[in-house]
């Protein structure tokens, strides 16, 4: 490089410094958002990323004098990749938060990195009860399966369901859902038979045949977000909608992202869950309207957990005056309460898990669209698995 060119470049750099002083590295707080953006669980990544974008559009990208920069990484739903990407985000990008985590094995893969680096891991999707115990830096804004599955078992007992079958995806949250539902209904005199379906590329047909043969009063289903429409299609193809077996479950099955495309087979399905796009509150109306306008789709429970996860990050930074030590941030998050689009929520100061209302809902057609319409509320539900240990 010639001396003249060097001089010119130096002068240009000096001029740009005068025009816009660059933010110092310590003026930017980075959030590493690790999500399945491709593959079978891409809808989870799409919903959470869209909600994070909405939160920043509404609240700005600066909090406590710091610019909040979100770095999205696609782990494709593969735990080894989640682990490597989380490590790179901590070591190379120096993120102050890890967030996202679309499935239980992905959240668990990142937990040792959060512990080692002392970086908060904000779990926005994964929902096996034990995840918060995998690291003292895990804080959750989604749900736990025992938290949302127990109320539908109580509802079943009260509504004459004596003989039930469960059909769950065969991994952490499915096993949690199966146990919570079965134990709760059995204690109230019910009989329950359990079926487990592989998580990846599920074929429900042989299991649905067993349900058709056994003719229980109800079939309880847990499938993770994104899988409900495959299940519903096979339920319809087997003629189970006309068999007299009542279809119930957690709201993952009647996910707001998929519900409209399921058609009439979904009408009347009763589920218990923490979020419905039809939740009647001013906060939810504003959230749903803003989300649809920005992203041209209906938000589901993944979106609301992503939105609340960003709120938790922003409010924790306000409390620490922008300081980014992981211990201070987690301490700031513990016990935090606010009104989410889903209703009132609190981060349990003992467990770092979420305390929230669980609603009983029924699929109905409203203004030509299918919605999970809430008709009963169980307020301030803690994760029952951890509550039983305390
Ligand atoms: C999970 O893997 O923990 C998980 C994923 C999606 C759900 C529920 C649980 O809808």
């Amino acid at each position: 490089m010639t001396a003249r060119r060097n001089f010119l470049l130096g002068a240009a750099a000096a001029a740009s410094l005068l025009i816009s002083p660059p933010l110092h590295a310590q003026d930017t707080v980075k959030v590493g958002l690790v999500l399945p953006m491709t593959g079978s669980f891409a809808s989870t990544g799409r919903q959470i990323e869209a909600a994070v974008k909405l939160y920043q559009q509404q609240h700005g990208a600066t909090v406590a004098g710091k610019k909040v920069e979100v770095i999205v990484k696609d782990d494709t739903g593969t735990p080894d990749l989640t682990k490597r990407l989380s490590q790179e985000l901590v070591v190379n990008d120096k993120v102050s938060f890890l967030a996202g985590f679309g499935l239980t094995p992905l959240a668990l893969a990142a937990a040792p990195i959060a512990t080692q680096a002392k970086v908060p891991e904000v779990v926005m999707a994964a929902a096996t009860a034990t995840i918060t115990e995998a690291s003292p830096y895990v804080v959750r804004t989604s749900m736990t399966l025992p938290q949302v599955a127990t109320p539908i078992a109580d509802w079943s007992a009260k509504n004459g369901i004596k003989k039930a079958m469960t059909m769950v995806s065969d991994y952490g949250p499915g096993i949690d859902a199966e146990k919570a539902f079965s134990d709760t209904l059995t204690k109230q005199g019910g009989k329950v038979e359990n079926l487990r379906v592989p998580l990846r590329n599920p074929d429900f047909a042989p299991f649905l045949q067993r349900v058709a043969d056994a003719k229980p009063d109800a079939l309880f289903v847990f499938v993770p977000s994104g899988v409900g429409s495959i299940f519903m299609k096979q339920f319809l193809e087997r003629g189970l909608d006309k068999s007299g077996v009542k279809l119930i479950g957690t709201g993952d099955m009647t996910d707001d992202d998929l519900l409209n495309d399921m058609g009439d087979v979904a009408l009347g399905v009763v589920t218990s869950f923490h979020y419905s796009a039809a939740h009647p509150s001013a906060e939810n109306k504003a959230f749903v309207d803003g989300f649809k306008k920005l992203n041209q789709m209906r938000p589901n429970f993944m979106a609301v957990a992503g939105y609340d996860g960003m709120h938790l990050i922003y409010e924790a930074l306000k409390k620490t005056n922008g300081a980014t030590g992981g211990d201070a941030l987690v301490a700031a998050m513990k016990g935090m309460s606010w009104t989410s689009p889903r209703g009132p929520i609190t981060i349990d100061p003992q467990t770092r898990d979420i305390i929230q209302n669980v609603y009983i809902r029924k699929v109905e057609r409203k203004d030509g669209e299918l919605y999970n319409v809430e008709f009963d509320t169980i307020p301030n539900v803690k994760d029952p698995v951890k509550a039983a240990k305390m």
Side-chain angles (χ1 to χ4, degrees):
M1 204 184 283
T2 64
R4 182 176 152 72
R5 193 151 163 244
N6 253 341
F7 170 76
L8 285 177
L9 279 177
S16 79
L17 273 179
L18 285 176
I19 297 161
S20 57
L23 281 174
H24 293 291
Q26 61 268 34
D27 292 333
T28 299
V29 174
K30 292 181 185 168
V31 178
L33 192 58
V34 186
L35 291 168
M37 299 305 299
T38 55
S40 312
F41 300 98
S43 62
T44 294
R46 184 166 44 85
Q47 285 273 345
I48 292 177
E49 187 193 25
V52 166
K53 241 193 232 161
L54 176 66
Y55 192 88
Q56 290 209 292
Q57 186 200 52
Q58 291 175 337
H59 297 85
T62 306
V63 64
K66 305 261 176 147
K67 184 177 180 304
V68 180
E69 181 190 342
V70 176
I71 305 172
V72 180
K73 296 283 180 189
D74 177 13
D75 67 7
T76 74
T78 311
D80 287 349
L81 203 48
T82 315
K83 188 163 191 179
R84 179 162 70 69
L85 292 170
S86 300
Q87 187 111 45
E88 285 172 7
L89 283 164
V90 165
V91 174
N92 301 342
D93 297 295
K94 313 234 174 330
V95 298
S96 299
F97 299 87
L98 288 167
F101 308 106
L103 295 162
T104 288
L106 313 178
L108 291 176
I113 293 160
T115 304
Q116 222 178 7
K118 299 185 189 296
V119 167
E121 176 181 342
V122 179
V123 174
M124 297 170 163
T128 300
T130 53
I131 289 172
T132 43
E133 293 165 332
S135 166
Y137 294 91
V138 169
V139 183
R140 177 152 46 193
T141 59
S142 51
M143 57 152 174
T144 83
L145 261 303
Q147 179 182 50
V148 296
T150 304
I152 191 72
D154 286 327
W155 180 88
S156 299
K158 285 193 201 103
N159 284 273
I161 291 166
K162 296 197 164 54
K163 190 177 145 195
M165 286 174 96
T166 63
M167 190 182 292
V168 303
S169 297
D170 190 5
Y171 77 122
I175 292 158
D176 266 5
E178 174 190 282
K179 182 166 167 40
F181 180 85
S182 305
D183 288 357
T184 307
L185 189 58
T186 306
K187 266 191 212 129
Q188 297 175 71
K191 277 210 165 61
V192 186
E193 188 184 335
N194 301 137
L195 303 173
R196 294 180 185 177
V197 183
L199 171 66
R200 308 268 169 184
N201 307 312
D203 178 11
F204 297 98
F207 301 97
L208 286 168
Q209 190 55 51
R210 288 176 60 184
V211 177
D213 294 342
K215 291 193 182 57
D217 300 324
L219 171 63
F220 166 92
V221 173
F222 165 79
V223 286
S225 186
V227 180
S229 41
I230 306 166
F231 167 79
M232 213 52 104
K233 187 166 170 280
Q234 297 192 0
F235 186 82
L236 184 67
E237 279 168 4
R238 295 264 130 186
L240 271 145
D241 57 321
K242 295 184 182 66
S243 67
V245 176
K246 175 127 196 82
L247 184 57
I248 58 175
T250 57
D252 313 75
M253 169 176 49
T254 55
D255 181 344
D256 273 297
D257 201 26
L258 307 170
L259 186 56
N260 250 327
D261 294 329
M262 287 181 185
D264 288 357
V265 62
L267 284 172
V269 173
V270 178
T271 54
S272 51
F273 220 35
H274 56 300
Y275 181 67
S276 164
H279 178 66
S281 72
E283 290 83 4
N284 189 46
K285 192 179 177 324
F287 171 67
V288 172
D289 289 350
F291 190 92
K292 280 185 176 168
K293 202 166 155 212
L294 184 64
N295 304 298
Q296 287 77 50
M297 60 182 176
R298 190 196 281 188
N300 71 0
F301 63 104
M302 294 298 183
V304 85
Y307 189 78
D308 286 333
M310 279 309 276
H311 183 80
L312 184 64
I313 289 170
Y314 270 50
E315 293 303 310
L317 283 168
K318 280 186 200 167
K319 269 195 174 175
T320 64
N321 287 319
T324 53
D327 289 307
L329 287 170
V330 171
M333 290 174 176
K334 287 181 181 177
M336 209 181 268
S337 286
W338 69 99
T339 305
S340 155
R342 68 185 104 174
I345 61 177
T346 298
I347 301 299
D348 188 328
Q350 266 95 46
T351 64
R352 291 163 279 103
D353 223 326
I354 188 164
I355 305 171
Q356 58 191 335
N357 294 350
V358 177
Y359 307 91
I360 312 289
R361 315 96 50 83
K362 186 185 204 166
V363 177
E364 291 176 13
R365 199 179 293 285
K366 265 179 46 177
D367 307 324
E369 290 192 44
L370 296 181
Y371 280 102
N372 294 291
V373 177
E374 296 166 356
F375 63 89
D376 200 4
T377 305
I378 300 94
N380 305 323
V381 182
K382 286 189 179 191
D383 171 51
V385 172
K386 285 186 287 288
K389 288 184 198 165
M390 308 214 90

